[in-house]
Amino acid sequence: MHEMSLAESVREIAEEIARANRARRVRGIHLRIGRLAGVDPGALGFGLEVALRGGVTDGAAVHVQHVPGEAWCWDCAGRVEVDSDPPTCPACRSVRLQVTGGNELKVSEVELADIEGEAT
């Protein structure tokens, strides 16, 4: 299950950002997950539940923005939204597509709390 290693990577990114900003706690983690990223949202959610336990990420809220798949169709020359892998053009049913978006998994924001030196 590669979602567990993805969850651990998300934790490591959040911990690194917290360390760099001298934060004692991560309040929230915002993710952008593309429809074509090949990630099972349920499995990733479970993996994050486990991976974020303990340390500065314990109790962090996870916010997910789902990004639609986007592609350029070589046959009908259109920009189309796709949601399958392999993608198929919804306009002409062609499979000759160049994916242009929606295949990412990104940590877009990390909310920090209890920053050292910050007035409370």
Side-chain angles (χ1 to χ4, degrees):
M1 163 159 103
H2 78 286
E3 282 81 358
M4 191 64 207
S5 64
L6 293 173
E8 290 170 355
S9 294
V10 168
R11 184 200 70 235
E12 290 169 6
I13 290 167
E15 287 174 342
E16 184 178 314
I17 291 169
R19 226 180 354 265
N21 289 280
R22 299 186 330 202
R24 293 185 185 100
R25 189 166 67 88
V26 172
R27 180 177 298 155
I29 300 170
H30 295 256
L31 301 175
R32 288 177 44 92
I33 303 176
R35 281 273 201 242
L36 305 176
V39 174
D40 177 328
L44 180 61
F46 174 76
L48 287 166
E49 219 176 277
V50 172
L52 298 179
R53 288 184 192 152
V56 298
T57 59
D58 194 34
V62 177
H63 308 277
V64 177
Q65 176 187 7
H66 294 282
V67 180
E70 298 174 353
W72 171 262
C73 179
W74 288 98
D75 290 336
C76 70
R79 278 184 126 7
V80 295
E81 190 171 303
V82 291
D83 63 3
S84 61
D85 192 17
T88 303
C89 179
C92 71
R93 310 309 301 160
S94 173
V95 293
R96 292 179 3 106
L97 298 173
Q98 174 69 46
V99 173
T100 58
N103 54 352
E104 70 269 16
L105 169 60
K106 294 181 181 179
V107 175
S108 59
E109 183 181 341
V110 176
E111 298 173 40
L112 303 175
D114 303 329
I115 297 173
E116 198 175 301
E118 189 176 81
T120 52

